[in-house]
Amino acid sequence: MLYAAPEHPPGPQGEARRPRLRVLDGLRLLAALMVLAYHYITLRDGWGDDPNAFSPVVYHLSEYGWLGVEVFFLISGFVICMSAWGRSLGDFVTSRVSRLYPAYWVAVLLTAAVLTVWPNVRSADNWETVLTNLTMLQQGVGVPDVDDAYWTLFIELKFYLLFAIVVFRGVTYRRCVLFCGLWTVAGVVALKSNSDLLSVWAIAPYSPYFIAGIAFYLMHRFRPTVLLWAIVAVSFLLAQHYLRGRLVMNLGAKADMAHGWPVRLAVLLAFALMAAIALGWFDKLQWRWLSTAGSLTYPLYLLHMYVGFTLIDLLRSRVPAAVLLPGIVAFMLALSWAVHRLVERPLGKKLRVSMQKSVEEMRFHSRGRMSGAPPAKQREIIREERKPDPELLH
């Protein structure tokens, strides 16, 4: 969802690797800043009350910043389909784990430490909760998130597990289209079913964004077709169905006073922008700073909420809001850069290589090639099988 987009894999006829879609990195950071605006301006945590120091225009615009999450999910469908193409299930799992967990572990521990030292806005609950959060599976076992922003990560994990079925069989055009169709049907059926299991896995309010993202990637990799546009159109219309509920979820009682049309317009613009990306309109946009912007997005999303609320609470009586808010955003961007450079990159690479070796070990022993081989041959086979995939070292 939030990590930097990989370079485009080779095309269907084996043509050269396409350039990185840097526009996705910029769009990802824009979505993260939308979420920051919603949390830091609209919500009262940290300010003690609605931050009326901000102009009404800024305040009301920030009320719609939660739509950045919908943009994240739309991008995620595109990027996950792209990054999974041509990979085995083991390589797919290795890639996801090594990208998601290093920055997440640091964010959980740092947020818990801040909330323990300064429990002004919220306490860290207990360390059992913190330790469970390190798995990223806390919602599945009924444990609260250390930071409320983490709720989207469990949605992402469910998408990965569902798409892993496609990866296991081998990612192809036909299987991706079939996956989109079946998931759409599951989401519609879940609305009228009494099955909690189906509702949990259908993720109906958010699945249209992932599905549309997959269809957009198929357009980009191959070419637009009526079938793919139909998938996008149905996904867009289903997404519109849930927007009123999402507005109430994020604004509560204030939702009755908020206009609904900006929400629908924002989703329409997000779909239109992704369509432009799918059609290749931004392929030549290769500003290198966009990659840096994209690399900050995931740690920024993980760290900003309650660390930022706590800083606002500590400083609001001494620093004017108009100065404090940009300062907090600048600090969180700097902290995110530090986490990316000092933790995410080095630890992610080590974790990726270690997991790749583990996967190769599992494959090796599952094939039983050691059986009956002389000792010298066994050592040669082990050296060969333990070589990491060069693709995963970059």
Side-chain angles (χ1 to χ4, degrees), residues 162-240:
L162 291 172
F163 199 71
I165 300 171
V166 181
V167 179
F168 176 72
R169 296 288 298 164
V171 183
T172 65
Y173 192 132
R174 180 176 180 273
R175 287 170 182 157
C176 287
V177 169
L178 183 61
F179 175 81
C180 291
L182 291 176
W183 198 7
T184 299
V185 171
V188 173
V189 171
L191 294 176
K192 295 295 184 180
S193 73
N194 294 320
S195 172
D196 292 336
L197 181 63
L198 180 59
S199 297
V200 165
W201 286 101
I203 331 173
Y206 311 107
S207 59
Y209 300 98
F210 294 113
I211 292 167
I214 293 171
F216 280 133
Y217 175 66
L218 294 176
M219 291 184 193
H220 185 74
R221 183 180 179 88
F222 299 97
R223 65 184 182 87
T225 66
V226 172
L227 176 60
L228 294 178
W229 282 121
I231 293 173
V232 169
V234 170
S235 297
F236 173 76
L237 294 174
L238 289 175
Q240 293 288 320

Side-chain angles (χ1 to χ4, degrees), residues 4 13 21 23-24 41 45 79 100 109 116 130-131 162 174 177 183 268 345:
Q13 281 76 42
L21 289 172
V23 66
L24 288 176
I41 299 176
D45 307 70
V79 171
L100 289 180
L109 295 175
T116 299
V130 175
L131 293 176
L162 291 172
R174 180 176 180 273
V177 169
W183 198 7
L268 175 61
R345 284 177 59 176

Side-chain angles (χ1 to χ4, degrees), residues 104-105 107-113 115-116 123-136 138 143-146:
Y104 175 74
W105 288 330
V108 169
L109 295 175
L110 181 58
T111 300
L115 296 182
T116 299
S123 68
D125 200 2
N126 57 66
W127 283 97
E128 180 182 345
T129 297
V130 175
L131 293 176
T132 305
N133 268 250
L134 292 175
T135 68
M136 208 183 287
Q138 60 273 12
V143 173
D145 294 313
V146 168

Side-chain angles (χ1 to χ4, degrees), residues 7 11 17 27 50 74 76 127-128 187 201 212 349:
E7 294 204 0
R17 185 182 298 271
L27 183 58
D50 286 340
L74 193 57
S76 186
W127 283 97
E128 180 182 345
W201 286 101
K349 181 177 180 179

Side-chain angles (χ1 to χ4, degrees), residues 15 50 76 98 102 106 132 141 178 202 209 211-212 243 283 322 331 340 366 372 393:
E15 64 264 22
D50 286 340
S76 186
S98 62
V106 171
T132 305
V141 294
L178 183 61
Y209 300 98
I211 292 167
L243 286 178
D283 284 0
F331 173 77
H340 171 67
S366 296
L393 296 178

